[in-house]
Amino acid sequence: MRKSNKSKVGRRRFLKGAVAGAAGLVTTSQTGKAQQSQDHDHDHDHQTVPSDPALRTKALETLLVQKGLVDPAALDSLVEAYQTKIGPQNGARVVARAWADPSYKKRLLENATKAIAELGYTTGEADDMNVVENGPKVHNLVVCTLCSCYPWPLLGLPPRWYKSDAYRSRAVIDPRGVLGEFGVTLPEDTEIRVWDSTAELRYLVLPERPAGTEGMSEKELAALVTRDSMVGVAKVTVNKTGGR
Amino acid sequence: VNGIHDMGGMQDMGPIRYEKNEPVFHEPWEGRVYVIRRAMGAWKKWTTDHARHEIEKLPPSDYLRMSYYERWLVSTENLIVNAALITRDELESGKPAAGSAKATPPLKSADMQTVLVRPKVTRPDANVKAKFKQGDRVRARNIHPTGHVRLPRYARGKAGVVHQDHGIYVFPDTIVAGQGEKPQHVYSVRFEARELWGPQASPRHAVYLDLWDDYLDHI
């Protein structure tokens, strides 16, 4: 986001050999100079901001493994799970079911946690789910101004923009401006409800079902539902744009 | 603490940078930091609230300079050191102290599911009466604790209406202060934008916050 990622590949390759002696990296070292860090003879202030987070992370992991505090195989499978199993496809299934089945929708809006469990998503933060419905006169937008609370089991890990200072600061004071940046313009008389996730409740927006989808199956409907529409920064359209 | 993390209502933070087809992790180390934190959570030495507070304690200027996962990296190191699972010396040298015992990781790859499931520690088995009910007019307290708090500054002192009672949760402020769970009700409270942001705000804009009993008073 704010950091440039230049020369990261080279740095990572270099890491493999350098980790064992990663001393001093918790403080500062300039990119590509990590090997010198044990000498540590340059002038600097010891600071919090990691100058080389990749190296510092590797040093931490190596230490934790050596001390028997983490199992590296468990770390590998966790990374894989977050990359492949947990994502907006889960939330899209919930939305599609709600569109296709009015009684499910009713249960979902009344007790989201229970209704989501019907589809097999019973884990973690889904235990405290709330679903808020968009309509012709109401538009919902989800934010976490204090950190990065987000319905992980249903949407996966949040995108960078959701965690950005820009979004977190502005969503509550200028939601129309924020929506405008996402290309969403709402009629003047639409009420905007912003949900700031300050406790352990997690919010999912139930977007409006687009016209022209009457004959679609639940699976076809789910394919239209984007992550952004379930956060409230996009509407669902029949012509889905890639990646949103 | 009135920290930089409490960003709601700040202005001039720049445009929202949207990235198409964004990967889950932009660099491998981000994923490693994330799962190290998850796996270390299995030691049950801290709660989510402790973890949040560790990020809140970062110096504001550092917080703003750091990327999201840099904040996680530094706060995770601090959590692990604070929990005495490693020492600061070990962290800085990158090596276990001479003669230190080798532990057995509580989380194996076979029980990965247990870490994906966040334990329901936030819903205590307690019987506490609700102080408010749906429709009650309430005012968020004008408080400025120096420790962990989940009442954003922009809502303090503002009047709203209880939209829903979410039930009983543990109280983050006392948990992080080491003063126990203090179970109490959490409510969804609706604040009109004009109450929060003044008369120039739209009458068709409201913000809902989830707030604990201890943050609210009857009007």
Side-chain angles (χ1 to χ4, degrees), chain B residues 51-98:
Chain B
R52 288 187 183 124
H53 190 53
E54 210 53 57
I55 290 182
E56 293 160 12
K57 287 196 297 187
L58 294 169
S61 55
D62 291 340
Y63 182 104
L64 289 172
R65 274 208 303 273
M66 292 159 91
S67 73
Y68 181 74
Y69 284 111
E70 285 175 338
R71 293 172 193 160
W72 272 61
L73 169 59
V74 174
S75 60
T76 299
E77 289 173 352
N78 292 341
L79 285 166
I80 298 170
V81 170
N82 294 347
L85 291 168
I86 62 173
T87 65
R88 184 66 63 185
D89 280 350
E90 288 176 321
L91 181 66
E92 293 189 0
S93 71
K95 291 182 184 134

Side-chain angles (χ1 to χ4, degrees), chain A residues 11-28:
Chain A
R11 217 189 314 161
R12 193 159 318 109
R13 201 179 304 121
F14 151 80
L15 278 184
K16 291 194 167 163
V19 170
L25 292 168
V26 245
T27 53
T28 359

Side-chain angles (χ1 to χ4, degrees), chain A residues 154-206:
Chain A
L154 293 180
L155 296 186
L157 295 177
R160 274 182 173 173
W161 61 259
Y162 182 86
K163 303 175 287 193
S164 70
D165 304 341
Y167 182 76
R168 286 166 52 201
S169 59
R170 205 131 48 78
V172 284
I173 189 171
D174 182 21
R176 272 180 199 275
V178 166
L179 288 169
E181 280 182 51
F182 282 90
V184 176
T185 311
L186 299 172
E188 220 7 73
D189 63 345
T190 298
E191 178 179 299
I192 301 180
R193 295 177 185 166
V194 183
W195 301 83
D196 189 356
S197 319
T198 48
E200 296 311 318
L201 287 300
R202 296 294 171 266
Y203 290 88
L204 187 84
V205 175
L206 176 58

Side-chain angles (χ1 to χ4, degrees), chain A residues 96-118:
Chain A
R97 173 66 57 87
W99 283 347
D101 178 351
S103 68
Y104 181 77
K105 178 173 144 181
K106 189 164 177 283
R107 296 199 296 282
L108 183 67
L109 294 173
E110 276 170 7
N111 187 335
T113 303
K114 269 172 81 177
I116 287 164
E118 289 176 37

Side-chain angles (χ1 to χ4, degrees), chain A residues 2-3 56 61 67 69 76 148 152 160 168-169 181 188 191-192 194 196 198 200 203 228, chain B residues 5 9 18 22 32 38 43 52 64 66 68 70 77 90 118 150 154 190 204 206 208 210:
Chain A
R2 273 173 297 268
K3 288 185 62 73
R56 185 157 153 176
E61 181 178 334
K67 288 197 54 113
L69 293 167
D76 293 342
S148 56
W152 287 344
R160 274 182 173 173
R168 286 166 52 201
S169 59
E181 280 182 51
E188 220 7 73
E191 178 179 299
I192 301 180
V194 183
D196 189 356
T198 48
E200 296 311 318
Y203 290 88
D228 292 2
Chain B
H5 69 284
Y18 192 89
E22 184 175 337
R32 296 316 275 189
R38 289 309 234 189
W43 283 94
R52 288 187 183 124
L64 289 172
M66 292 159 91
Y68 181 74
E70 285 175 338
E77 289 173 352
E90 288 176 321
R118 203 167 71 163
R150 296 288 292 179
Y154 74 84
R190 175 186 166 112
R204 285 173 296 279
Y208 292 73
D210 293 321

Side-chain angles (χ1 to χ4, degrees), chain A residues 1-3 5 8 12 20 23-24 26 47-50 53-54 56-57 60-61 63-79 81-83 85-86 123-125 127-128 130 144-149 152 157 159-161 163 165-170 172-173 175 178 181-182 188-203 227-228 242-244, chain B residues 5-11 13-18 21-22 24-36 38-40 43 52 58 62-71 73-74 77 80 85-86 90-93 95-96 100 102-109 112-113 115-118 120 122-123 150 152 154 163-164 166 169 186 188 190 197 204-210 212:
Chain A
M1 199 158 37
R2 273 173 297 268
K3 288 185 62 73
N5 293 324
K8 62 187 175 194
R12 193 159 318 109
V26 245
Q47 58 183 27
T48 313
V49 183
R56 185 157 153 176
T57 301
L60 176 65
E61 181 178 334
L63 175 64
L64 296 177
V65 170
Q66 283 176 356
K67 288 197 54 113
L69 293 167
V70 292
D71 171 11
L75 299 183
D76 293 342
S77 49
L78 274 173
V79 170
Y82 278 102
Q83 281 177 328
K85 293 191 181 135
I86 307 161
T123 60
E125 299 189 55
D127 283 331
D128 300 309
N130 263 21
C144 175
T145 61
L146 296 175
C147 46
S148 56
C149 300
W152 287 344
L157 295 177
R160 274 182 173 173
W161 61 259
K163 303 175 287 193
D165 304 341
Y167 182 76
R168 286 166 52 201
S169 59
R170 205 131 48 78
V172 284
I173 189 171
V178 166
E181 280 182 51
F182 282 90
E188 220 7 73
D189 63 345
T190 298
E191 178 179 299
I192 301 180
R193 295 177 185 166
V194 183
W195 301 83
D196 189 356
S197 319
T198 48
E200 296 311 318
L201 287 300
R202 296 294 171 266
Y203 290 88
R227 174 197 70 204
D228 292 2
R244 292 202 163 193
Chain B
H5 69 284
D6 184 359
M7 290 190 167
M10 291 185 74
Q11 294 166 323
M13 289 289 197
I16 296 160
R17 294 174 202 281
Y18 192 89
N21 301 312
E22 184 175 337
V24 175
F25 300 112
H26 289 72
E27 297 189 54
W29 72 266
E30 297 186 341
R32 296 316 275 189
V33 166
Y34 183 77
V35 301
I36 285 171
R38 289 309 234 189
M40 288 304 291
W43 283 94
R52 288 187 183 124
L58 294 169
D62 291 340
Y63 182 104
L64 289 172
R65 274 208 303 273
M66 292 159 91
S67 73
Y68 181 74
Y69 284 111
E70 285 175 338
R71 293 172 193 160
L73 169 59
V74 174
E77 289 173 352
I80 298 170
L85 291 168
I86 62 173
E90 288 176 321
L91 181 66
E92 293 189 0
S93 71
K95 291 182 184 134
S100 68
K102 182 156 180 171
T104 303
L107 183 83
K108 297 287 183 193
S109 56
M112 186 189 74
Q113 198 58 25
V115 83
L116 296 179
V117 181
R118 203 167 71 163
K120 284 200 278 180
T122 59
R123 298 299 299 263
R150 296 288 292 179
Y154 74 84
H163 165 67
Q164 194 187 339
H166 289 308
Y169 288 81
V186 170
S188 171
R190 175 186 166 112
W197 313 114
R204 285 173 296 279
H205 167 199
V207 183
Y208 292 73
L209 289 89
D210 293 321
W212 281 257

